[in-house]
């Protein structure tokens, strides 16, 4: 997939869709209903772009013209009326899950494009590839792709209750399922067992795949699982996890909002126990 420095106006009649970031927030048109900026909307702010690139070019074999782009504007730019910014975590609730995924892609490509400038092997300046979504080094030939860091997230169940924990980084009173990054040499299942053991000192069994979700904070993918308690009693590590408990469907604490896979795992548990989320 071609990625950078394509002239987005090469005679296209396809409506362009723009994922414009002001700081860490996405610019959204908000007059009657919320929507992403399109070709006609961006004229008033496109002169403020400090960087821009292509998100997708459609199907290369059919010679489709690119129609999705990212751009960055300085955080002190005053937006025209009818445009607001929303945090990436709120995009799913406001514009739907699929747009959240595209915004996640846009945000990660933007950050990667800006931060990965020099070759990590020889130090020369990288060039964007014209044939793939990567950068290449003209001196030593090294190829660099945008990083994606997998993390596991797991809903553990014991006797009709779900394990929810309070992470030190959460807002006050918020609880969620256990999550953590996969380490080198681990399977996803190994990572699930290790994270649960490290964070709350219990062992789990019957680990089953649930689903996955791109998570652009900063360039992760959350891989979700369900599991059953096997042994041990809850002992939060006191560092990352401040509190943990087993919760029945009718006594849920404050939960993660929106379309996060954490919330989907919790809602799946509640639904399986016949309680409306
Ligand atoms: Zn090099």
């Amino acid at each position: 997939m071609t990625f950078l420095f394509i002239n987005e106006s090469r005679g296209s009649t396809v409506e362009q869709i723009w994922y414009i970031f002001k700081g860490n927030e996405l610019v959204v048109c908000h007059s009657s209903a919320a929507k992403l900026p399109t070709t006609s909307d961006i004229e008033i702010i496109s002169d403020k772009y400090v960087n821009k690139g292509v998100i997708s070019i459609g199907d290369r074999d059919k010679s489709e013209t690119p129609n999705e782009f990212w751009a960055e504007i300085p955080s002190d730019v005053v937006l025209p009326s009818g445009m607001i910014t929303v945090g990436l975590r709120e995009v799913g609730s406001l514009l739907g899950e699929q747009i959240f995924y595209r915004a996640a892609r846009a945000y990660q490509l933007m950050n990667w494009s800006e931060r990965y400038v020099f070759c990590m092997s020889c130090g020369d300046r990288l060039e964007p590839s014209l044939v793939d979504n990567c950068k290449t080094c003209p001196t030593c030939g090294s190829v660099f792709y945008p990083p994606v860091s997998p993390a596991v997230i797991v809903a553990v169940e014991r006797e009709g209750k779900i394990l929810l924990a309070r992470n030190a980084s959460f807002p006050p009173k918020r609880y969620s399922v256990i999550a953590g990054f996969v380490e080198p040499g681990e399977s996803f299942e190994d990572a699930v067992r290790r994270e649960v053991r490290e964070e709350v000192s219990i062992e789990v069994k019957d680990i089953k795949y649930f689903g996955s979700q791109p998570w652009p904070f900063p360039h992760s993918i959350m891989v979700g699982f369900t599991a059953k308690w096997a042994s041990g009693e809850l002992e939060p590590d006191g560092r990352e996890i401040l509190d943990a408990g087993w919760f029945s469907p009718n006594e849920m604490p404050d939960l993660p909002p929106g379309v996060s896979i954490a919330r989907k795992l919790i809602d799946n548990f509640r639904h399986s126990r016949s309680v409306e989320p």
Side-chain angles (χ1 to χ4, degrees):
M1 180 173 289
T2 309
F3 161 52
L4 275 174
F5 309 133
I6 293 175
N7 181 357
E8 70 273 12
S9 61
R10 58 182 190 198
S12 170
T13 55
V14 179
E15 179 94 298
Q16 295 174 5
I17 299 168
W18 283 85
Y19 294 80
I20 304 166
F21 293 93
K22 182 184 175 200
N24 292 326
E25 301 212 316
L26 183 70
V27 173
V28 171
C29 294
H30 205 295
S31 47
S32 53
K35 75 175 189 71
L36 290 171
T38 54
T39 316
S40 55
D41 301 310
I42 61 158
E43 287 177 10
I44 36 182
I45 57 167
S46 58
D47 64 331
K48 304 287 194 299
Y49 292 172
V50 292
N51 205 350
K52 66 181 179 181
V54 175
I55 298 170
S56 71
I57 60 164
D59 188 336
R60 236 188 317 165
D61 295 336
K62 295 178 183 170
S63 302
E64 287 184 6
T65 304
N67 73 328
E68 284 186 304
F69 303 87
W70 60 261
E72 183 179 18
I73 58 175
S75 54
D76 59 356
V77 166
V78 177
L79 291 173
S81 74
M83 284 188 181
I84 59 170
T85 61
V86 296
L88 259 186
R89 292 173 199 271
E90 280 70 59
V91 169
S93 309
L94 188 66
L95 296 169
E97 191 169 357
Q98 290 309 311
I99 289 183
F100 169 68
Y101 291 157
R102 299 306 284 172
R105 177 179 173 83
Y107 186 69
Q108 288 173 75
L109 289 177
M110 180 182 76
N111 283 330
W112 177 73
S113 168
E114 292 173 352
R115 291 177 187 175
Y116 287 75
V117 176
F118 298 104
C119 176
M120 282 185 278
S121 298
C122 76
D124 200 2
R125 182 173 286 272
L126 297 171
E127 295 176 348
S129 167
L130 296 179
V131 295
D132 208 353
N133 186 26
C134 63
K135 291 185 180 185
T136 58
C137 176
T139 303
C140 73
S142 295
V143 180
F144 299 94
Y145 285 85
V148 178
S149 303
V152 293
I153 184 164
V154 58
V156 183
E157 202 175 323
R158 179 184 187 182
E159 296 165 3
K161 295 187 175 184
I162 186 172
L163 168 59
L164 297 175
R166 217 184 104 53
N167 191 292
S169 66
F170 285 175
K173 299 183 178 177
R174 170 74 47 82
Y175 282 71
S176 187
V177 286
I178 298 283
F181 285 104
V182 179
E183 295 189 350
E186 279 186 327
S187 68
F188 291 150
E189 291 82 357
D190 289 339
V192 165
R193 280 186 283 269
R194 177 185 51 76
E195 283 292 338
V196 174
R197 187 183 303 126
E198 285 178 357
E199 296 193 353
V200 293
S201 287
I202 62 167
E203 298 296 325
V204 296
K205 62 182 181 182
D206 297 342
I207 299 169
K208 292 193 170 66
Y209 178 70
F210 175 80
S212 65
Q213 182 175 62
W215 199 242
F217 310 105
H219 44 70
S220 192
I221 178 166
M222 304 296 288
V223 189
F225 294 87
T226 60
K228 297 270 192 299
W229 171 84
S231 65
E233 298 303 327
L234 295 177
E235 277 183 48
D237 66 9
R239 183 175 49 87
E240 192 170 347
I241 301 297
L242 304 181
D243 187 34
W246 299 104
F247 292 83
S248 73
N250 296 316
E251 51 180 17
M252 289 281 124
D254 181 45
L255 299 173
V259 296
S260 66
I261 193 168
R263 183 55 183 261
K264 289 182 178 179
L265 278 161
I266 296 166
D267 287 347
N268 175 67
F269 159 75
R270 300 174 78 188
H271 182 71
S272 71
R273 298 284 158 182
S274 300
V275 171
E276 289 301 317

